[in-house]
Coordinates of all heavy atoms in Angstrom, one line a residue:
Chain A
M11 N 117.9 189.8 -28.6 CA 118.8 188.8 -29.2 C 118.2 187.6 -29.6 O 118.3 187.0 -30.7 CB 120.0 188.5 -28.3 CG 121.1 189.5 -28.5 SD 122.4 189.0 -27.3 CE 123.3 187.7 -28.2
L12 N 117.3 187.0 -28.6 CA 116.7 185.7 -28.9 C 115.6 185.9 -30.1 O 115.5 185.0 -30.9 CB 116.1 185.1 -27.7 CG 117.0 184.6 -26.7 CD1 116.3 184.1 -25.4 CD2 117.8 183.4 -27.3
M13 N 114.9 187.1 -30.0 CA 113.9 187.2 -31.1 C 114.5 187.3 -32.4 O 114.1 186.7 -33.4 CB 113.0 188.5 -30.8 CG 112.0 188.3 -29.7 SD 111.2 189.8 -29.3 CE 110.3 190.1 -30.9
F14 N 115.7 188.1 -32.5 CA 116.3 188.2 -33.8 C 116.9 186.9 -34.2 O 116.7 186.5 -35.4 CB 117.5 189.2 -33.6 CG 118.5 189.2 -34.7 CD1 118.1 189.9 -35.9 CD2 119.7 188.6 -34.7 CE1 119.0 189.9 -37.0 CE2 120.6 188.6 -35.7 CZ 120.3 189.2 -36.9
A15 N 117.5 186.2 -33.3 CA 118.0 184.9 -33.6 C 117.0 183.9 -34.1 O 117.1 183.1 -35.0 CB 118.7 184.3 -32.4
L16 N 115.8 183.9 -33.4 CA 114.8 182.9 -33.8 C 114.2 183.3 -35.1 O 113.9 182.4 -36.0 CB 113.6 183.0 -32.8 CG 113.9 182.3 -31.4 CD1 112.8 182.6 -30.5 CD2 114.1 180.9 -31.7
A17 N 114.1 184.6 -35.4 CA 113.6 185.0 -36.8 C 114.6 184.6 -37.9 O 114.2 184.1 -39.0 CB 113.4 186.5 -36.8
A18 N 115.8 184.8 -37.5 CA 116.8 184.4 -38.5 C 116.9 182.8 -38.7 O 117.1 182.3 -39.8 CB 118.1 184.9 -38.2
A19 N 116.7 182.2 -37.6 CA 116.9 180.7 -37.6 C 115.8 180.0 -38.4 O 116.0 178.9 -38.9 CB 116.8 180.2 -36.1
A20 N 114.7 180.7 -38.5 CA 113.6 180.1 -39.3 C 114.1 179.9 -40.7 O 113.6 179.0 -41.5 CB 112.4 181.0 -39.3
Q21 N 115.1 180.7 -41.2 CA 115.6 180.5 -42.5 C 116.8 179.4 -42.6 O 117.1 179.0 -43.6 CB 116.2 181.8 -43.0 CG 115.3 183.0 -42.9 CD 114.0 182.8 -43.8 OE1 114.2 182.4 -45.0 NE2 113.0 183.2 -43.3
S22 N 117.4 179.1 -41.5 CA 118.6 178.3 -41.5 C 118.6 177.0 -40.7 O 119.6 176.5 -40.7 CB 119.7 179.2 -41.1 OG 119.5 179.7 -39.8
G23 N 117.6 176.6 -40.1 CA 117.6 175.4 -39.3 C 116.8 175.4 -38.0 O 116.3 176.5 -37.7
V24 N 116.6 174.3 -37.5 CA 115.7 174.3 -36.3 C 116.5 174.5 -35.0 O 117.5 173.8 -34.8 CB 115.0 172.9 -36.3 CG1 114.1 172.8 -35.0 CG2 114.3 172.7 -37.5
P25 N 116.2 175.5 -34.2 CA 116.9 175.7 -32.9 C 116.6 174.5 -32.0 O 115.6 173.9 -32.1 CB 116.3 177.0 -32.3 CG 115.6 177.7 -33.6 CD 115.2 176.5 -34.5
I26 N 117.5 174.3 -31.0 CA 117.3 173.2 -30.2 C 117.2 173.7 -28.7 O 117.8 174.7 -28.3 CB 118.3 172.1 -30.3 CG1 119.7 172.7 -30.1 CG2 118.2 171.4 -31.6 CD1 120.7 171.6 -29.9
I27 N 116.6 172.9 -27.9 CA 116.7 173.1 -26.4 C 117.4 171.8 -25.9 O 116.9 170.7 -26.1 CB 115.3 173.3 -25.7 CG1 114.8 174.6 -26.3 CG2 115.5 173.4 -24.2 CD1 113.4 174.9 -25.8
S28 N 118.5 172.0 -25.3 CA 119.2 170.8 -24.8 C 119.5 171.0 -23.3 O 118.9 172.0 -22.7 CB 120.4 170.6 -25.5 OG 121.1 169.4 -25.1
G29 N 120.3 170.2 -22.7 CA 120.8 170.5 -21.4 C 120.5 169.4 -20.4 O 120.4 168.2 -20.9
G30 N 120.5 169.7 -19.1 CA 120.3 168.7 -18.1 C 119.3 169.1 -17.0 O 119.1 170.3 -16.8
A31 N 118.7 168.1 -16.4 CA 117.9 168.4 -15.3 C 118.3 167.3 -14.2 O 118.7 166.2 -14.6 CB 116.4 168.2 -15.6
G32 N 118.1 167.6 -13.0 CA 118.5 166.6 -12.0 C 118.0 167.0 -10.6 O 117.5 168.1 -10.4
L33 N 118.3 166.1 -9.8 CA 118.0 166.3 -8.4 C 119.3 165.9 -7.6 O 119.7 164.7 -7.8 CB 116.8 165.4 -8.0 CG 116.3 165.5 -6.6 CD1 115.8 167.0 -6.4 CD2 115.1 164.5 -6.4
I34 N 119.7 166.8 -6.8 CA 121.0 166.5 -6.1 C 120.8 166.6 -4.6 O 120.2 167.6 -4.1 CB 122.1 167.6 -6.5 CG1 122.3 167.6 -8.0 CG2 123.4 167.3 -5.8 CD1 123.0 168.8 -8.5
S35 N 121.2 165.5 -3.9 CA 121.1 165.5 -2.4 C 122.5 165.5 -1.9 O 123.4 164.7 -2.2 CB 120.4 164.2 -2.0 OG 120.6 164.1 -0.6
T36 N 122.8 166.5 -1.1 CA 124.2 166.7 -0.5 C 124.1 166.7 1.0 O 123.2 167.4 1.6 CB 124.7 168.0 -1.0 OG1 124.7 168.1 -2.4 CG2 126.2 168.2 -0.5
T37 N 125.0 165.9 1.6 CA 125.2 165.9 3.1 C 126.6 166.3 3.4 O 127.5 165.4 3.2 CB 124.8 164.6 3.7 OG1 123.4 164.3 3.3 CG2 124.8 164.7 5.2
N38 N 126.8 167.5 3.8 CA 128.2 168.0 4.2 C 128.3 168.1 5.7 O 127.6 169.0 6.2 CB 128.5 169.3 3.5 CG 128.7 169.1 2.0 OD1 129.0 168.0 1.5 ND2 128.7 170.2 1.3
G39 N 129.1 167.3 6.3 CA 129.3 167.4 7.7 C 128.0 167.3 8.5 O 127.7 167.9 9.5
G40 N 127.1 166.4 8.0 CA 125.8 166.2 8.7 C 124.7 167.1 8.3 O 123.5 166.8 8.7
Q41 N 125.0 168.1 7.5 CA 123.9 169.1 7.1 C 123.4 168.6 5.7 O 124.2 168.6 4.7 CB 124.5 170.5 7.0 CG 125.0 170.9 8.3 CD 124.0 171.2 9.3 OE1 122.9 171.7 9.1 NE2 124.3 170.6 10.5
T42 N 122.2 168.2 5.6 CA 121.7 167.8 4.3 C 120.8 168.9 3.5 O 120.2 169.7 4.1 CB 120.7 166.6 4.5 OG1 121.4 165.6 5.3 CG2 120.2 166.0 3.2
S43 N 121.1 168.9 2.2 CA 120.3 169.8 1.4 C 120.0 169.1 0.1 O 120.6 168.1 -0.3 CB 121.2 171.0 1.0 OG 122.4 170.7 0.4
F44 N 118.9 169.6 -0.5 CA 118.5 169.1 -1.8 C 118.4 170.3 -2.9 O 118.1 171.3 -2.6 CB 117.0 168.6 -1.6 CG 116.9 167.4 -0.6 CD1 116.5 167.8 0.7 CD2 117.2 166.1 -1.0 CE1 116.4 166.8 1.6 CE2 117.1 165.1 0.0 CZ 116.8 165.4 1.3
Q45 N 118.8 169.8 -4.1 CA 118.8 170.9 -5.1 C 118.1 170.3 -6.3 O 118.8 169.6 -7.1 CB 120.2 171.3 -5.5 CG 120.9 172.1 -4.3 CD 122.3 172.5 -4.8 OE1 122.4 173.4 -5.6 NE2 123.2 171.8 -4.2
P46 N 116.9 170.6 -6.6 CA 116.3 170.3 -8.0 C 116.9 171.3 -9.0 O 116.9 172.5 -8.7 CB 114.8 170.6 -7.9 CG 114.6 170.8 -6.3 CD 115.9 171.2 -5.8
V47 N 117.5 170.8 -10.1 CA 118.2 171.8 -10.9 C 117.7 171.5 -12.4 O 117.4 170.4 -12.9 CB 119.7 171.5 -11.0 CG1 120.4 172.4 -11.9 CG2 120.2 171.5 -9.6
V48 N 117.5 172.6 -13.1 CA 117.2 172.5 -14.5 C 118.3 173.4 -15.2 O 118.3 174.6 -14.8 CB 115.7 173.0 -15.0 CG1 115.6 172.8 -16.5 CG2 114.8 172.0 -14.3
A49 N 119.0 173.0 -16.2 CA 120.0 173.8 -16.8 C 119.8 173.7 -18.3 O 120.5 172.9 -19.0 CB 121.4 173.3 -16.4
P50 N 118.9 174.5 -18.9 CA 118.6 174.4 -20.4 C 119.7 175.0 -21.1 O 120.1 176.2 -20.8 CB 117.3 175.0 -20.5 CG 117.1 175.9 -19.4 CD 117.9 175.3 -18.2
V51 N 120.0 174.4 -22.3 CA 120.9 175.1 -23.3 C 120.0 175.4 -24.5 O 119.4 174.5 -25.1 CB 122.1 174.2 -23.7 CG1 122.9 174.7 -24.8 CG2 122.9 173.9 -22.4
V52 N 120.0 176.6 -25.0 CA 119.3 177.0 -26.3 C 120.3 177.2 -27.4 O 121.3 178.0 -27.1 CB 118.5 178.3 -26.0 CG1 117.8 178.7 -27.3 CG2 117.4 178.1 -24.9
V53 N 120.2 176.6 -28.5 CA 121.2 176.8 -29.6 C 120.3 177.2 -30.8 O 119.4 176.4 -31.2 CB 121.9 175.5 -29.9 CG1 122.9 175.8 -31.0 CG2 122.7 175.0 -28.7
V54 N 120.7 178.4 -31.3 CA 120.0 178.9 -32.6 C 121.0 179.0 -33.6 O 121.8 180.1 -33.6 CB 119.3 180.2 -32.2 CG1 118.5 180.7 -33.4 CG2 118.4 180.0 -31.0
P55 N 121.1 178.1 -34.6 CA 122.0 178.4 -35.7 C 121.5 179.4 -36.7 O 120.3 179.4 -37.0 CB 122.1 177.0 -36.4 CG 120.9 176.3 -36.0 CD 120.4 176.9 -34.8
L56 N 122.3 180.3 -37.1 CA 122.0 181.3 -38.1 C 122.7 181.2 -39.3 O 123.9 181.7 -39.4 CB 122.2 182.8 -37.4 CG 121.6 183.0 -36.1 CD1 122.1 184.4 -35.5 CD2 120.1 183.0 -36.1
G57 N 122.3 180.3 -40.2 CA 123.1 180.0 -41.4 C 124.3 179.2 -41.0 O 124.4 178.6 -40.0
S58 N 125.3 179.2 -41.8 CA 126.5 178.3 -41.5 C 127.6 179.1 -40.8 O 128.6 178.5 -40.4 CB 127.1 177.8 -42.8 OG 127.5 179.0 -43.7
K59 N 127.4 180.4 -40.7 CA 128.5 181.2 -40.0 C 128.2 181.7 -38.7 O 129.2 182.0 -37.9 CB 128.7 182.5 -40.9 CG 129.4 182.2 -42.3 CD 130.8 182.0 -42.1 CE 131.6 181.8 -43.5 NZ 132.9 181.4 -43.2
F60 N 127.0 181.7 -38.2 CA 126.7 182.3 -36.9 C 125.9 181.3 -36.1 O 125.0 180.5 -36.6 CB 125.9 183.6 -37.0 CG 126.7 184.7 -37.6 CD1 126.7 185.0 -39.0 CD2 127.5 185.5 -36.8 CE1 127.4 186.0 -39.6 CE2 128.2 186.6 -37.4 CZ 128.2 186.9 -38.8
T61 N 126.0 181.4 -34.8 CA 125.3 180.6 -33.8 C 125.0 181.5 -32.6 O 125.9 182.1 -32.2 CB 125.9 179.3 -33.4 OG1 126.4 178.6 -34.5 CG2 125.1 178.4 -32.5
V62 N 123.8 181.5 -32.1 CA 123.5 182.1 -30.8 C 123.3 181.0 -29.8 O 122.5 180.0 -30.1 CB 122.3 183.0 -30.9 CG1 121.9 183.5 -29.5 CG2 122.6 184.2 -31.7
E63 N 123.9 180.9 -28.7 CA 123.7 179.8 -27.7 C 123.8 180.3 -26.4 O 124.5 181.4 -26.1 CB 124.7 178.7 -28.0 CG 126.1 179.1 -28.1 CD 127.0 178.0 -28.5 OE1 126.7 176.8 -28.3 OE2 128.1 178.2 -28.9

Side-chain angles (χ1 to χ4, degrees):
Chain A
M11 269 183 81
L12 285 175
M13 281 176 67
F14 170 75
L16 287 171
Q21 307 295 320
S22 56
V24 179
I26 58 167
I27 297 178
S28 180
L33 187 62
I34 303 161
S35 163
T36 303
T37 303
N38 287 345
Q41 302 295 315
T42 301
S43 61
F44 301 96
Q45 293 181 73
V47 185
V48 179
V51 173
V52 177
V53 181
V54 184
L56 308 173
S58 61
K59 288 285 185 186
F60 292 93
T61 307
V62 174
E63 47 188 341

